[in-house]
Amino acid sequence: MGKTKELSQDLRVRIVDLHKAGMGYKKISKVLDVKVTTIGAIIRKFKEYNMTINRPRPGAPKKISPRGVAMMLRTVRNRPATTRQELANDLKAAGTTVCKETIGNTLRNNGFTSCSARKVPLLKRAHVEARLKYANDHLKDEPSYWEKVLWSDETKIELFGLNSTRHVWRKKNAAYDPKNTVPTVKHGGGSIMFWACFSAKGTGLLHRITGKMDGAMYRTILRDNLLPSARDLKMGRGWVFQHDNDPKYTAKATKDWLKKNHIKVMEWPSQSPDLNPIENLWRELKVRVAKRQPTNLHDLERICKEEWAKIPPGVCAKLVVNYNKRLTAVLANKGFATKY
C-alpha cells in the first residue's frame, strides 16, 4: 500500500484551532472533509508534543532519479534482454552510480520480473502472414467444424525424459540418498519416435517410427494407422486431415495418395505447433509415462501405447472445443507465437 498524502500545515493548524474551540472530532471531520482517524492523530500529536508541523518521513532518498528510472524502463521495453550491468553502466554514464541489486529492485517495483525467455519456432514474415490468414479464415468456424478434424503429428519420447528433472522433498544433507536421486545414462538412455492422431472423439492409433521416416514410410503409416483411426473414431463423411508442411508430407506422391483415398487436407501455416492441439496431448502422454518410470525402450514403447489409449475422450474434446481461443491469441499477438 502506498504512502498517503500529508496534510498541509495550514490545515493542521485549523484542525487544532477548531479542537481548541470545543468542536468534536466528527464535526471537524465534516467541516474540513478529513477522516476522523486523521483528525484524532493530529490532535493527539498536538497534545503530546505541542506541535502541528509535518515531521520528516523515514527512509533513504531514492538513488535513481525519476528521469533515470524512465530511461531504464524505456530500455528494457525496447530491449528486454538488457542485463542489470548494462543498465548500471548506462546510469553511470549519465552521472548516477548504483549497484545491480538497486537496478533489479527498481525494475521489480515497476512491474518487471526477470524470467527465462520462452523458446519458440523462428517465424519469418511469410510465416506470420500465413498464421494471421489462417486465424482470420477460421475464426468464425463453428465447433462442429473442428469436431470433423483429425489432428496428427510426430514426437520423440526419451526413456528418462521428464524424470530427469524430478523434484523431491529432502533434508539439508540428504541430497545423495538414493531415494532423492534420479538415475541417468548418457544420451537420455535412448528414445523412440512416434506418430499419432486424435480428434474430438478421442485418440487414434499411436505408431512407433523405426529408422528415418521418408515419404514412402509416411504413406504406409497413413494407410495402416490414419485410415483405421478414422474408422475407429467414427469420423463419418467429410472429415478433414491435419498435418504440417514437412517435405515428406507435402511430396507429390503423398498428395496423390491422399487424393486417391478422398482425404481432404487442411491448409496449414508452417512453424505453428501452437496451433496444433496434439502438442498438449504429447505433454499429457509424457507426464503419464514418466510416472510409470520405464526402465528400457521395450517398456517405454509398451507404456506409451497403454497410456495413449487411456487418455479420456473428454480431454480430447476440451482441446477441440476451445480451439478458437488459439486463433484469438494469434490475432492478439499479431501472428507471433502464443502461450499454446
Side-chain angles (χ1 to χ4, degrees), residues 139-154:
L139 186 61
K140 295 182 180 179
D141 287 345
E142 297 294 330
S144 57
Y145 172 79
W146 300 113
E147 290 171 2
K148 301 292 289 183
V149 177
L150 199 52
W151 308 87
S152 72
D153 196 18
E154 305 167 29

Side-chain angles (χ1 to χ4, degrees), residues 8-269:
S8 68
Q9 180 64 23
D10 289 341
L11 188 54
R12 287 170 174 265
V13 171
R14 288 184 64 192
I15 291 171
V16 172
D17 289 342
L18 291 174
H19 173 66
K20 287 180 178 179
M23 192 176 290
Y25 289 9
K26 289 185 178 179
K27 194 167 183 181
I28 296 174
S29 172
K30 189 174 182 181
V31 170
L32 299 180
D33 194 25
V34 178
K35 289 182 178 180
V36 174
T37 52
T38 304
I39 300 290
I42 291 171
I43 293 173
R44 281 195 300 275
K45 184 164 70 170
F46 169 76
K47 289 179 177 179
E48 292 175 15
Y49 305 105
N50 194 26
M51 61 185 292
T52 58
I53 60 172
N54 293 335
R55 300 164 76 187
R57 291 194 169 191
K62 299 289 185 182
K63 291 185 176 181
I64 306 176
S65 67
R67 187 173 182 178
V69 172
M71 182 186 74
M72 287 172 49
L73 300 182
R74 185 168 58 251
T75 300
V76 296
R77 286 192 192 102
N78 294 333
R79 294 186 289 114
T82 303
T83 65
R84 292 182 301 168
Q85 186 59 57
E86 289 171 338
L87 291 172
N89 293 341
D90 290 344
L91 288 172
K92 188 174 182 179
T96 302
T97 302
V98 293
C99 63
K100 293 188 291 185
E101 286 71 20
T102 300
I103 298 286
N105 291 337
T106 302
L107 290 175
R108 280 189 288 274
N109 290 339
N110 284 275
F112 286 89
T113 305
S114 178
C115 306
S116 298
R118 296 288 191 269
K119 294 181 180 180
V120 298
L122 175 64
L123 294 175
K124 298 180 180 179
R125 187 182 186 87
H127 298 141
V128 172
E129 291 175 353
R131 285 164 58 84
L132 288 171
K133 182 179 183 302
Y134 174 85
N136 280 310
D137 289 349
H138 292 286
L139 186 61
K140 295 182 180 179
D141 287 345
E142 297 294 330
S144 57
Y145 172 79
W146 300 113
E147 290 171 2
K148 301 292 289 183
V149 177
L150 199 52
W151 308 87
S152 72
D153 196 18
E154 305 167 29
T155 195
K156 179 174 73 172
I157 299 184
E158 294 182 344
L159 183 59
F160 297 111
L162 294 182
N163 278 333
S164 63
T165 56
R166 192 190 314 161
H167 290 267
V168 296
W169 292 102
R170 63 171 176 81
K171 293 191 175 181
K172 186 175 181 180
N173 297 319
Y176 289 95
D177 186 309
K179 293 181 294 185
N180 299 330
T181 60
V182 177
T184 62
V185 294
K186 288 184 179 180
H187 313 298
S191 61
I192 299 177
M193 287 292 298
F194 288 101
W195 176 95
C197 61
F198 91 101
S199 78
K201 297 179 179 180
T203 55
L205 295 174
L206 181 72
H207 175 78
R208 178 178 181 173
I209 299 170
T210 304
K212 186 176 180 179
M213 184 164 68
D214 56 14
M217 182 187 292
Y218 183 58
R219 292 188 290 277
T220 301
I221 290 173
L222 296 182
R223 182 195 68 202
D224 297 343
N225 297 274
L226 176 66
L227 295 179
S229 294
R231 287 193 295 269
D232 293 343
L233 294 171
K234 297 180 172 57
M235 296 300 292
R237 293 177 178 272
W239 61 276
V240 180
F241 177 50
Q242 179 279 331
H243 62 179
D244 60 33
N245 296 321
D246 187 289
K248 55 183 170 287
Y249 299 170
T250 57
K252 185 178 183 300
T254 302
K255 288 182 176 179
D256 290 344
W257 185 92
L258 291 166
K259 186 176 181 180
K260 180 181 177 182
N261 286 274
H262 310 290
I263 298 173
K264 183 180 178 181
V265 179
M266 178 187 290
E267 281 285 327
W268 190 253

